[in-house]
Amino acid sequence: MARTVAAENSARVLPAMTPARGRPFGIYIHVPFCATRCGYCDFNTYTPGELGGANPDGWLAALRIELAQAAAHLGRIPRVDSVFVGGGTPSLLGGSGLAAVLDAVRAHFPLAPGAEVTTEANPESTSPQLFDQLLAAGYTRVSLGMQSAAAHVLAALDRAHSPGRALAAAREARAAGFDHVNLDLIYGTPGESDDDLLRSVDTVVEAGVDHVSAYALVIEDGTAMARRVRRGELVPTDDDVLARRYELLDARLVGAGFAWYEVSNWSRPGGECQHNIGYWNGGQWWGAGPGAHGFVDSVRWWNVKHPSAYAQTLTDGRLPVADYEHLDAGTLHIEDVMLRVRLRDGLPANVLSAPERERADVAVADGLLSRAGDRLVLTDRGRLLADAVVRDLLD
């Protein structure tokens, strides 16, 4: 099992790490700022009143220090195959701020030729000028948080943008010259209907994007939405309804020329997100920013969460690591199976043990997995039960 090193026992000092050759290497940058907090969100984000004096300028200064320390800490500096700026709301930094983020990466890590560089953005904080600036800075992909095209669904999620703004933002990004534009959807919000979802999918198709991510709503403990559910104001969506919604959106997207390449992700040919594929295929990455997670050389770590504590730790000359763990062979195997089985390319059967291959045979007989040469691929029914398939394989 993974060994967690307690924070009080010098957990903030990462062990020596050398990125493995031949595996994708990415950099994830976490931007912790949001104008408002969505009712369903439990990410490490902060509204202006929660920052305690932290601000984007101080965060960027601290980020530069972390990236410099990261390059010094690694046993070798790898070429970076992908950069992903997530949040939070990275677009609140504006075009110049996001250009400065990418400059900070380039100052310490060489980007591979054709490296994918992505930023997330909320539709209400974008503009044609922003997309022009991002393209000029070297970004190659934009991921927009749409969630829904239905006004009452956006209201239930506490989203700030209007139903039409995501469509307009996607078109602006395409007009600026972005070949790769993603729209995120959430399905299963209390009060959403099948027609609401289908209208949202049709809006995505109309936007002309080449990538769609769609996730079933998970009502996390501690969120405003969870409190509304406890008070009886909202009724969670039934699992059978969630399964039907998945089938509806999948059929609509396939009919429009998209294909699934991961259980919750669809793209047109060539539109797959390479950064996320790196995660799912056992790649390595440095996670920078408050609360960011990284994984290099069998070591996984996570940074302190609050932007003020993050900046102060770096100012004190230390990496802002809250804790870390060494992943042993058994844990790495579990995660490898869990992630790769979700991909359309499937799971190579030879990574499974003999008992696991026998359980895979049962899943094939049950119509949950199919064989594609030497790989095991989820069937349409298997995608609906992907977590259960993983549990059964590893049981």
Side-chain angles (χ1 to χ4, degrees):
M1 294 299 293
R3 180 177 63 85
T4 300
V5 182
E8 60 270 21
N9 292 329
S10 302
R12 291 188 175 90
V13 179
L14 280 179
M17 301 183 299
T18 300
R21 298 184 185 276
R23 293 165 64 185
F25 189 90
I27 291 181
Y28 172 77
I29 307 290
H30 187 71
V31 180
F33 309 111
C34 279
T36 60
R37 183 176 299 283
C38 299
Y40 63 93
C41 180
D42 72 337
F43 294 164
N44 187 47
T45 61
Y46 300 85
T47 60
E50 299 168 333
L51 286 170
N55 58 67
D57 288 342
W59 168 85
L60 181 57
L63 177 70
R64 291 189 176 107
I65 298 172
E66 183 180 4
L67 291 170
Q69 291 191 11
H73 185 82
L74 293 174
R76 70 176 183 88
I77 299 177
R79 289 199 314 178
V80 174
D81 299 296
S82 63
V83 178
F84 195 104
V85 184
T89 310
S91 45
L92 288 177
L93 299 177
S96 60
L98 285 167
V101 168
L102 188 51
D103 286 343
V105 174
R106 290 192 183 111
H108 302 289
F109 291 88
L111 298 191
E116 179 187 81
V117 183
T118 304
T119 185
E120 293 182 335
N122 276 355
E124 72 276 12
S125 57
T126 62
S127 66
Q129 179 186 20
L130 173 72
F131 294 124
D132 288 340
Q133 292 172 318
L134 293 178
L135 197 68
Y139 286 84
T140 65
R141 177 185 290 269
V142 176
S143 182
L144 295 161
M146 174 180 166
Q147 319 315 354
S148 177
H152 70 98
V153 174
L154 292 175
L157 294 170
D158 294 322
R159 296 291 290 181
H161 62 85
S162 64
R165 180 55 205 154
L167 172 61
R171 286 175 168 169
E172 290 165 3
R174 296 281 292 137
F178 277 96
D179 294 325
H180 301 303
V181 180
N182 179 65
L183 283 171
D184 283 349
L185 293 175
I186 289 176
Y187 62 94
T189 300
E192 179 193 58
S193 68
D194 290 354
D195 285 343
D196 291 330
L197 174 64
L198 291 175
R199 282 196 298 272
S200 297
V201 177
D202 289 344
T203 299
V204 166
V205 173
E206 184 184 350
V209 300
D210 69 337
H211 190 287
V212 180
S213 301
Y215 303 98
L217 177 67
V218 176
I219 301 176
E220 302 285 1
D221 290 341
T223 62
M225 182 169 279
R227 291 190 289 273
R228 293 185 68 190
V229 168
R230 284 199 302 272
R231 292 195 298 264
E233 298 171 10
L234 296 174
V235 179
T237 303
D238 180 83
D239 285 346
D240 290 338
V241 174
L242 292 176
R244 185 177 73 247
R245 298 265 166 83
Y246 181 90
E247 291 173 328
L248 287 172
L249 72 89
D250 179 60
R252 201 72 137 211
L253 288 172
V254 170
F258 289 81
W260 77 282
Y261 72 97
E262 192 273 342
V263 168
S264 298
N265 290 271
W266 293 256
S267 74
R268 298 189 187 277
E272 298 87 349
C273 178
Q274 297 305 310
H275 185 84
N276 286 341
I277 287 175
Y279 290 153
W280 297 321
N281 275 326
Q284 301 177 101
W285 70 96
W286 189 282
H293 287 57
F295 173 68
V296 175
D297 194 18
S298 81
V299 177
R300 178 162 54 208
W301 72 94
W302 45 99
N303 283 348
V304 296
K305 288 188 172 184
H306 198 279
S308 294
Y310 167 78
Q312 185 61 56
T313 304
L314 285 158
T315 300
D316 292 342
R318 295 176 291 138
L319 283 168
V321 176
D323 207 349
Y324 71 89
E325 59 187 1
H326 285 285
L327 304 187
D328 60 24
T331 303
L332 289 169
H333 173 72
I334 289 170
E335 296 194 357
D336 191 37
V337 172
M338 179 178 66
L339 294 172
R340 294 175 76 180
V341 80
R342 295 176 61 88
L343 294 169
R344 181 184 59 200
D345 289 345
L347 175 71
N350 62 10
V351 308
L352 298 177
S353 66
E356 288 167 348
R357 287 195 293 272
E358 291 178 2
R359 292 193 284 270
D361 290 339
V362 174
V364 171
D366 289 343
L368 300 174
L369 290 173
S370 63
R371 296 190 184 278
D374 62 349
R375 291 177 175 264
L376 297 162
V377 180
L378 289 168
T379 63
D380 289 347
R381 179 167 168 261
R383 279 192 279 160
L384 296 173
L385 300 168
D387 291 343
V389 172
V390 170
R391 287 196 300 270
D392 288 345
L393 286 176
L394 295 171
D395 186 9

